[in-house]
Amino acid sequence: MKITDAKVFVGGPKKNYVTLKIYTDQGIYGLGDATLNNRETLPASYLTDYLIPNLIGLDPRNSEDIWQLFYRGAYFRGGPIAMAAYGAIDMALWDIKGKIADLPLYQLFGGKSRDGAMVYAHATGADLEDLMDSVACYVEDGYKAVRVQCGIPGMPTAGYAVPETKGGMRNYITDYSGIRPSTEIWDSGKYMRYMPGALMEIREKFGPELKILHDVHHRLTPREAAEFAKSVEPADLYWLEDPTPAEDQDALKFIRRHSTVPIAIGEVFNTIWQCNKLIEQELVDFIRVAVTYAGGITHVKRIVDLAALHHVRTGFHGAPSHSPLCMAAQAHLNAWAPNFGVQEYLVLGTPECDALFPSEHLMTNGMFYVSDAPGLGVDFDEAEAERYSYEPGSHPIVRLEDGTLWNY
Ligand code: CS2
Ligand code: MG
């Protein structure tokens, strides 16, 4: 069996999905996701200019060797752009493998450990009252886990993942007004004084069963994060995410010494080498890599297996940062992984997105049920794809009130 061709598509409904399609001489094709938020053209050109010409003629069944060929063979290893490109290739090769075997991917991993995988939704509010309304809607829809983010009184701009106005929506992942980022102003002091009480009010209103998650989005220093983690303990969080910037891994030791709040990290990690210390030293409770930019199924499965040895559960980074192809790859891993925790899930199910990526995967009542179709179980409609093209966009940047650049 040989790879005969591969194509990259960039675009989608309100999102620049980077979709790879690998063709074989047996008529079977595989699909993969290389979406890297606001840098989408870069994995796309790495694929087209270098990786695809080197894929032609290879046997697609040798997914491990092909992974090693690109990762080791690059000499300059890793990084989000390259790993997203390898991730897409690897996902597509697993998709082909599943189609050859006529089995859904979770069967190739070891079968199902559960029927449905718990997902968490993103509740958001311009203020706490607005956030409570948003949480209530998700609870009514059957979600068992909800991430909560709200505006902070006195903060000059809306803040991470928070709308400007009550009941509003905001695309905080990509601002499509252009390539130049807008600026948010941040004040850690105001946040630290307000948020622990707000989390406690949410806990009191929704009772002990709701799993409440909160994302600090890398904005505190280690000392601040330790103080914050300690102060949110009464709210009994399911997890506290990215309390500090991910590069400084010793910060997690400091937080651990002061608090037992469960910590989730890893959405910006690309390799097992960025996770192994945190996992082996049991400094985190959930690992949040994404199958797309952590190098695909082959590499993420290694991370999941390592995590299982250390009581670390999965909490894969979720939509809409990635396409339904990545979500499907994660859904198959979620169905299998003995150490599954929760899956991030933002409503992707627009009719336009479903038309571009048809599938039988099912999200209902806060649970994701993986389909039994062979491979990833997601298709890609090329005629639909012609409706879309690349739209330049950017994340905001963050500055402190005196102008100092901070972490988005
Ligand atoms: C966020 C991300 O979902 C999350 O937990 O931290 O969505 C993040 O803001 C985006 O991926 C950035 O592109
Ligand atoms: Mg996050």
Side-chain angles (χ1 to χ4, degrees):
M1 190 172 193
K2 283 195 171 18
I3 296 172
T4 51
D5 197 8
K7 278 190 203 146
V8 182
F9 304 81
V10 183
K14 299 196 189 81
K15 177 79 197 164
N16 295 311
Y17 293 125
V18 182
T19 306
L20 172 72
K21 186 165 182 178
I22 296 183
Y23 303 83
T24 66
D25 58 359
Q26 319 256 314
I28 294 175
Y29 58 85
L31 295 164
D33 175 35
T35 308
L36 180 63
N37 287 344
N38 307 318
R39 299 289 185 275
E40 296 88 350
T41 54
L42 303 178
S45 66
Y46 188 28
L47 280 161
T48 340
D49 298 345
Y50 180 79
L51 300 171
I52 292 175
N54 277 289
L55 266 179
I56 312 288
L58 300 183
D59 184 334
R61 294 169 296 186
N62 296 334
S63 46
E64 179 69 54
D65 187 60
I66 292 174
W67 196 93
Q68 302 292 340
L69 167 71
F70 290 137
Y71 181 79
R72 291 180 187 238
Y75 183 62
F76 300 103
R77 296 178 184 179
I81 298 164
M83 294 302 272
Y86 309 155
I89 292 173
D90 187 72
M91 249 181 257
L93 299 182
W94 276 92
D95 193 24
I96 291 170
K97 215 184 287 300
K99 287 172 179 167
I100 298 169
D102 199 24
L103 288 171
L105 284 189
Y106 70 80
Q107 290 292 7
L108 303 186
F109 305 153
K112 267 190 194 173
S113 301
R114 58 197 57 78
D115 288 332
M118 179 174 72
V119 307
Y120 71 88
H122 281 200
T124 179
D127 60 21
L128 182 56
E129 195 192 17
D130 196 26
L131 171 60
M132 297 276 204
D133 292 345
S134 171
V135 177
C137 288
Y138 287 116
V139 169
E140 227 166 83
D141 282 351
Y143 284 86
K144 292 143 195 73
V146 182
R147 186 188 90 163
V148 298
Q149 310 293 139
C150 72
I152 307 296
M155 195 77 85
T157 57
Y160 168 68
V162 168
E164 301 284 346
T165 52
K166 272 167 142 2
M169 290 291 288
R170 179 163 152 244
N171 186 344
Y172 61 90
I173 293 176
T174 302
D175 170 0
Y176 284 106
S177 59
I179 211 81
R180 285 194 183 233
S182 61
T183 303
E184 280 179 10
I185 306 296
W186 175 255
D187 179 336
S188 298
K190 289 190 177 74
Y191 169 76
M192 287 174 64
R193 283 190 293 279
Y194 184 73
M195 206 61 215
L199 291 170
M200 202 52 219
E201 282 189 49
I202 298 168
R203 170 59 70 213
E204 276 159 7
K205 178 158 176 160
F206 292 95
E209 292 298 330
L210 182 67
K211 293 179 172 56
I212 300 173
L213 297 78
H214 179 66
D215 192 348
V216 185
H217 223 251
H218 326 269
R219 293 192 183 179
L220 298 179
T221 65
R223 194 215 61 77
E224 289 168 345
E227 180 187 324
F228 188 77
K230 204 156 55 162
S231 66
V232 300
E233 276 178 7
D236 189 22
L237 296 185
Y238 185 75
W239 82 32
L240 185 69
E241 179 178 335
D242 289 333
T244 48
E247 299 96 327
D248 175 12
Q249 301 203 341
D250 284 337
L252 278 302
K253 276 190 203 157
F254 188 74
I255 299 168
R256 269 290 201 242
R257 278 206 291 275
H258 294 278
S259 168
T260 54
V261 72
I263 302 289
I265 203 163
E267 67 181 41
V268 297
F269 292 169
N270 315 123
T271 71
I272 195 166
W273 309 112
Q274 292 166 323
C275 309
N276 64 338
K277 177 171 144 189
L278 295 178
I279 292 173
E280 284 160 2
Q281 297 184 15
E282 298 176 4
L283 297 175
V284 296
D285 300 277
F286 294 91
I287 191 76
R288 281 197 31 76
V289 289
V291 167
T292 298
Y293 32 69
I297 291 168
T298 298
H299 198 64
V300 167
K301 198 165 170 305
R302 290 207 163 97
I303 296 175
V304 175
D305 280 331
L306 177 69
L309 303 181
H310 294 279
H311 316 277
V312 175
R313 285 185 283 164
T314 62
F316 294 136
H317 193 214
S321 292
H322 318 286
S323 90
L325 290 162
C326 172
M327 284 300 286
Q330 296 183 170
H332 286 282
L333 289 168
N334 291 339
W336 152 78
N339 52 331
F340 167 74
V342 69
Q343 171 63 58
E344 181 177 24
Y345 187 89
L346 275 84
V347 180
L348 265 182
T350 61
E352 293 83 5
C353 193
D354 293 346
L356 185 60
F357 295 102
S359 90
E360 298 296 319
H361 297 298
L362 177 69
M363 226 301 291
T364 179
N365 255 336
M367 301 291 282
F368 196 100
Y369 296 91
V370 70
S371 107
D372 276 329
L376 287 170
V378 177
D379 212 345
F380 179 67
D381 187 324
E382 288 183 46
E384 273 292 310
E386 277 172 24
R387 297 173 51 193
Y388 306 107
S389 56
Y390 171 70
E391 301 272 345
S394 55
H395 291 111
I397 55 161
V398 173
R399 290 187 185 275
L400 304 182
E401 280 177 293
D402 70 355
T404 306
L405 198 87
W406 205 243
N407 312 305
Y408 174 56

